[in-house]
Every structure is written in structure tokens, then in C-alpha cells.
Amino acid sequence: MERQPPQWLEVGETSRRLAFLVQEGEGAPVVWLGGFRSDMRATKAEALAEWARDNGRAYLRFDYGGHGESDGDFGAFTLSDWLGDALAMIESRCRQPPILVGSSMGGWIALLAARRLFGTPLQPAGLVLIAPAVDFSEELMWAQMPDSIRRTILDEGVWLRPSDYSPEPTPITRALIEDGRRHLMFGGEIKAGCPVHILQGMRDPDVPWRQAIKLVEHLSGDPVVLTLIKDGDHRLSTPADIARLQAAVASVAATA
């Protein structure tokens, strides 16, 4: 598809701008929630744009603060900011209950957004979660770090983590870790209030597949489908993975 220029939504007291792309269509709008340091033009987001176009489905995607084309420096933001961005985008652009599709960190944000929207006119109609990194700042970062890295974060406020997905290191800030603790979900029932479909690779080096099993156990009151891909990695961006994603979204959309 031709590269679509972004539209802009101003958020926060400083009126920073969030870049977003919207496709008009029918039915419950599909909202893409990207991952940590990802953006709205990444492979899976683009694949869903094609699916939405081919099926006449409304589709919304955006970049969190400090991501992609949106304003701000990545290291200045925390999960609270990104959750706030997601809620602002949903509340400003959706006119009916959305289907939230969250990848990695976006899976955590999707569940947090569903909790905030529960009982409102925009309570999600469904969730599709791809390698959902629930509680990642605590369980997949802090708990796995050696003492030397923890000390760097505490004393200097930031650690620059080498990235497998970018030539630039990723700043892991003390603010990110501490703010993440305000949003931890494991340890009690997680209520989505809608059908949930989880796609999880079993060769994912970033979000172990047992985290997905753990999430299913916590989603005890919601209908959940879990698809484990034996040779799947964290990206889940192969043609077969993309087909699974599109099928999962189509299945949820059919009942929304």
C-alpha cells in the first residue's frame, strides 16, 4: 500500500503529539497496540492494515510517546504514559467497542486498557495478544538482571541495554522499573471482560511461552484461546505467523 501520512492527536498538559493512522470501515474497530520501541508501520501492523482494507474493517494504529513518528524522547516515558496514550487514542477515535490487538508490551497495555474501560461504552469487544509481555519490567527485566545492572539503574537512573532489534541500545530507566510496579497484574485474577486469543511462540527468547500459560490461568473468568507456535520466535512475523494473526483477528471480529 502507498505510504499514508500520519494524523496527529495532542495529549497531556504539554500538548505533545501522537502520530496515528486510521482506515475507515465497518464493525468494531481494530486497534493496534505495538511493542516496546516498535512502531505503527512495523510488519504485523502493516499486515493488519491490509487485512482491514480487504475486509472493510475500521483500523486504528498509532505510535506511543517516544516511539516512531510521535513526539518525545523514548527514555523520558514510562508505562503509565504509554497506557495513557492508548486510552486517549481509543477514547478520541473509537465510536464503538474496539478489538485491541497488542504485541509484546502492547499485550500488557491492552489488558490494562481493558481493565480501565471495563463497564464503559468502550469496553473492548475482544483482545488478540501476541507474545503478551505482562509485567515485563519486573518479571522479564528486573528479576533477571544481575546486581551490577540493578545498581547502575538505581545509582545512575538508566542502563543502556544492547538491542537485538536495533543498532541503538535501549535505555532502561529507573523510572520505567518503578512505574511498572504500579501496573503489575500477576498475583490476582485478570479480567478482560471479553474473548481473548493469545498467540505465543515457543522459541521466544524475550517472553517465555510459560508466561502465556500463566496469563491464561489468571484470565480465569474470560473465554480464552491460546495458540502455541512450536518454532515461533518473539516477532511472529513469518508469512505463516501473519496468517495466524489475521485469522485470530478475523475470528474475534466475527463475534464482535
Side-chain angles (χ1 to χ4, degrees):
M1 291 189 292
E2 182 180 351
R3 185 180 176 90
Q4 181 182 357
Q7 298 182 54
W8 304 94
L9 177 69
E10 291 190 352
V11 297
E13 296 179 359
T14 59
S15 296
R16 60 182 174 86
R17 300 186 310 161
L18 297 180
F20 70 93
L21 299 171
V22 64
Q23 295 168 221
E24 302 300 332
E26 301 299 321
V30 174
V31 180
W32 174 258
L33 300 171
F36 193 63
R37 292 207 88 177
S38 186
D39 65 74
M40 64 179 175
R41 299 187 193 270
T43 302
K44 293 186 290 293
E46 292 283 5
L48 277 187
E50 294 183 12
W51 173 86
R53 179 199 61 193
D54 293 344
N55 290 273
R57 175 69 59 162
Y59 180 52
L60 171 66
R61 46 183 165 147
F62 69 97
D63 287 328
Y64 311 112
H67 288 69
E69 295 161 72
S70 290
D71 291 345
D73 176 64
F74 175 85
F77 294 94
T78 65
L79 193 75
S80 289
D81 299 310
W82 299 325
L83 173 60
D85 292 347
L87 290 169
M89 194 63 64
I90 292 166
E91 290 166 355
S92 69
R93 300 301 308 182
C94 295
R95 298 293 175 263
Q96 63 187 93
I99 297 167
L100 304 183
V101 182
S103 178
S104 193
M105 179 183 76
W108 187 9
I109 289 176
L111 289 164
L112 290 168
R115 184 164 68 183
R116 293 281 190 92
L117 295 168
F118 186 82
T120 75
L122 290 176
Q123 178 176 327
L127 302 182
V128 177
L129 310 178
I130 309 150
V134 178
D135 295 1
F136 79 89
S137 56
E138 193 69 18
E139 295 204 357
L140 305 179
M141 285 185 175
W142 188 256
Q144 309 298 325
M145 290 172 175
D147 288 341
S148 59
I149 292 177
R150 290 185 184 182
R151 181 52 54 191
T152 296
I153 292 173
L154 292 174
D155 291 348
E156 300 178 18
V158 64
W159 169 60
L160 298 178
R161 183 181 72 177
S163 173
D164 292 332
Y165 306 105
S166 169
E168 298 297 324
T170 300
I172 307 300
T173 65
R174 179 172 179 169
L176 177 73
I177 298 296
E178 293 179 346
D179 179 76
R181 291 173 181 148
R182 299 172 52 198
H183 301 286
L184 299 180
M185 304 192 85
F186 287 141
E189 183 183 21
I190 299 174
K191 189 172 182 62
C194 61
V196 181
H197 193 144
I198 301 169
L199 301 168
Q200 176 68 52
M202 296 185 73
R203 293 187 178 178
D204 186 337
D206 300 309
V207 181
W209 64 269
R210 288 178 178 81
Q211 290 289 104
I213 301 292
K214 185 177 180 179
L215 177 56
V216 172
E217 292 171 343
H218 281 74
L219 286 163
S220 55
D222 296 300
V224 181
V225 173
L226 170 62
T227 300
L228 291 174
I229 299 99
K230 186 174 182 180
D231 60 348
D233 60 8
H234 187 62
R235 290 178 180 270
L236 290 182
S237 293
T238 68
D241 294 329
I242 293 298
R244 290 187 189 97
L245 170 60
Q246 292 173 329
V249 175
S251 177
V252 172
T255 61

